Amino acid sequence: MGSQNGFIYAHPDDETFLSGCLIRRLADAGEDNVLLLATRGDAGRQGLERAKNRQELAELREHEMRAAAEILGISTIEHLGWPDGQLDEVDFETLVQQIITFIQHHEVENVYTFAEDGGNGHRDHIAISKATTAAVHSGACPSVRKLYYAYSPLLRAQGLQPSILIDTEKLWPVKAAALKAHQTQHVTIGRHFGNLVDFPEERRWEAFVLGWQIGNELAIL
């Protein structure tokens, strides 16, 4: 059996935006991928074009997430259900403990999450990054061997280079299919990736920096 990989993000579609091709490659190599999402992504106005209210939108986004997971090779999805757009207002220690529980239950070895700046400054992205880092560093997750952060402007400014660099061109049809599964987010997806038919050269790379590994007490964040 291959390694157990845990992807810990804020919203449905974060997994595909940042790491869709990486997840598929890991799955094809016989590794298991599990996903923890802090929210159900039910605050987006564009999603309410297809849903009557936020509860219906949450259910729709969970359905979309399951479809994307099947395409990418994610075996398990867990939703914490915290308020979308307000993750930095929830009790931090409770959030950290939920992440610890997830990591312990699945015996996650490699953890992937946002960098400290959230990639784009999104408050939910920043909150889940901080809580995931705290969980890994708590000493309560002995299965974890490595913690990776999605490459971001902050990491670039610090002069750090990616430890994992995935050229997405060959797997673009897979990533595009997973993005299409998140139908409620078509506006944002189109803005970032174009029409999902033509390969977006400017979005070629999925990149992660190794922030911590067992035996190395010095973390980058």
Side-chain angles (χ1 to χ4, degrees), residues 59-88:
E59 294 170 359
L60 182 55
R61 294 209 69 184
E62 285 190 34
H63 175 76
E64 293 173 346
M65 185 62 252
R66 288 193 294 272
E70 185 171 346
I71 293 166
L72 297 178
I74 297 171
S75 65
T76 301
I77 310 161
E78 293 186 18
H79 298 267
L80 297 180
W82 289 108
D84 186 10
Q86 303 171 48
L87 196 59
D88 56 349

Side-chain angles (χ1 to χ4, degrees), residues 19 82 95:
S19 49
W82 289 108
L95 178 58

Side-chain angles (χ1 to χ4, degrees), residues 3-62:
S3 298
Q4 192 81 346
N5 304 297
F7 293 83
I8 302 177
Y9 292 130
H11 315 100
D13 77 21
D14 289 341
E15 80 299 325
T16 307
F17 268 68
L18 293 174
S19 49
C21 294
L22 171 61
I23 293 170
R24 185 66 261 174
R25 280 184 54 169
L26 293 171
D28 290 344
E31 301 192 17
D32 191 35
N33 302 304
V34 294
L35 175 65
L36 180 66
L37 298 173
T39 80
R40 289 181 166 84
D42 58 345
R45 285 178 294 177
Q46 64 177 296
L48 291 174
E49 298 171 0
R50 301 176 182 234
K52 296 176 182 178
N53 52 50
R54 289 183 60 163
Q55 178 58 35
E56 187 173 297
L57 177 57
E59 294 170 359
L60 182 55
R61 294 209 69 184
E62 285 190 34

Side-chain angles (χ1 to χ4, degrees), residues 4 6 8 34 36 78 96-109 111 131-132 135-136 140-144 147:
Q4 192 81 346
I8 302 177
V34 294
L36 180 66
E78 293 186 18
V96 171
Q97 185 56 55
Q98 289 177 318
I99 295 169
I100 289 172
T101 299
F102 172 82
I103 290 173
Q104 290 177 339
H105 178 72
H106 295 287
E107 298 183 333
V108 172
E109 297 171 56
V111 175
T132 301
V136 170
C141 301
S143 64
V144 176
L147 170 62

